Amino acid sequence: MKIVKLQKIAKDLRKIILDVYLKRGGHLSTSLSCIDILVALHFANFIKLNRKTYLKKNRNLLVVSKGHSDLSYYSLLYYLDIIDKRTLYNKNNKIVLGGHLDHKVPGVELTTGSLGHGLGFAAGISLAEKINKKNYKQFVLLGDAECSEGSIWEAALFAKHNQLNNLVAIIDKNSIGASDYIDNFTSLTSLKEKWIS
């Protein structure tokens, strides 16, 4: 798909995110900062998610570990026709969308309100896929503030030890935590070097 088309999809999704935010609230900054990543993964065919495939086991997976990006991912699921407009705007009594991603929502792989668990979850799946000689990849979208969680680094060590070349960690480096700039509450210096190692 051409870059111009990807940019249009990202713009359309940003409009949806803003509209939903104005009507029911949510985490705006972290949702807006990762939308280009989500669009690239889903519309450049790394992740093939739609109404027919989201329940299938044999496919590439995306774990959105930064669970506060609920507005972006739920808006994407709406755009992909996996959830409907009533669900997106919390007018569906059967599925209620909270402020974090929830695995009970179609198309969401893992509940990620407690940050730091997505990489470990995906690493376990990656090891199982490797043992079973399957070629599917597990993509994990992490927040940079989330990288201050010790469980992220335990999962990274596990992935390195098991040579999980089917696991891809993507960090949305927006320099913002839940309510403050990262530099005001933790030190994530040399993040690039840490991941390379």
Side-chain angles (χ1 to χ4, degrees):
M1 185 176 288
K2 292 187 176 181
I3 293 288
V4 175
K5 178 67 174 166
L6 294 174
Q7 289 172 330
K8 183 184 183 317
I9 294 169
K11 185 177 179 182
D12 291 345
L13 283 168
R14 283 188 176 95
K15 288 178 183 176
I16 295 168
I17 290 167
L18 189 56
D19 188 53
V20 174
Y21 173 76
L22 291 172
K23 289 188 170 69
R24 70 170 179 84
H27 301 95
L28 186 61
S29 63
T30 191
S31 290
L32 290 174
S33 68
C34 69
I35 202 65
D36 292 318
I37 297 168
L38 292 174
V39 167
L41 287 170
H42 286 83
F43 295 94
N45 291 324
F46 293 100
I47 305 294
K48 295 179 181 174
L49 190 67
N50 59 49
R51 189 179 279 275
K52 294 178 183 175
T53 63
Y54 78 86
L55 289 174
K56 291 186 177 179
K57 303 283 184 217
N58 295 324
R59 61 179 173 85
N60 289 351
L61 297 179
L62 171 63
V63 174
V64 182
S65 191
K66 54 176 279 174
H68 293 91
S69 62
D70 59 317
L71 292 175
S72 62
Y73 202 66
Y74 290 147
S75 296
L76 176 68
L77 293 176
Y78 165 70
Y79 195 87
L80 294 170
D81 197 32
I82 295 172
I83 63 173
D84 61 21
K85 192 169 189 175
R86 288 179 52 78
T87 301
L88 181 64
Y89 287 90
N90 267 348
K91 298 190 185 286
N92 180 344
N93 294 329
K94 294 179 183 175
I95 301 174
V96 178
L97 306 181
H100 304 99
L101 291 171
D102 190 330
H103 76 280
K104 294 175 187 168
V105 177
V108 176
E109 304 295 342
L110 177 70
T111 300
T112 53
S114 297
L115 300 178
H117 300 294
L119 189 61
F121 174 82
I125 295 172
S126 295
L127 180 60
E129 296 283 18
K130 187 174 178 180
I131 290 169
N132 292 322
K133 299 186 178 357
K134 294 191 177 175
N135 294 319
Y136 303 108
K137 290 191 184 309
Q138 283 59 242
F139 294 86
V140 184
L141 177 57
L142 300 162
D144 51 353
E146 182 183 14
C147 290
S148 63
E149 299 282 348
S151 55
I152 294 292
W153 301 106
E154 291 172 17
L157 289 169
F158 176 86
K160 171 80 173 178
H161 176 76
N162 289 287
Q163 298 296 301
L164 299 180
N165 58 356
N166 55 348
L167 177 65
V168 179
I170 301 168
I171 301 167
D172 176 20
K173 190 172 184 321
N174 64 11
S175 301
I176 301 172
S179 59
D180 200 356
Y181 291 102
I182 291 172
D183 290 342
N184 292 335
F185 63 87
T186 191
S187 174
L188 289 174
T189 56
S190 306
L191 196 57
K192 180 179 177 182
E193 289 78 8
K194 286 174 185 169
W195 280 103
I196 289 171
S197 72

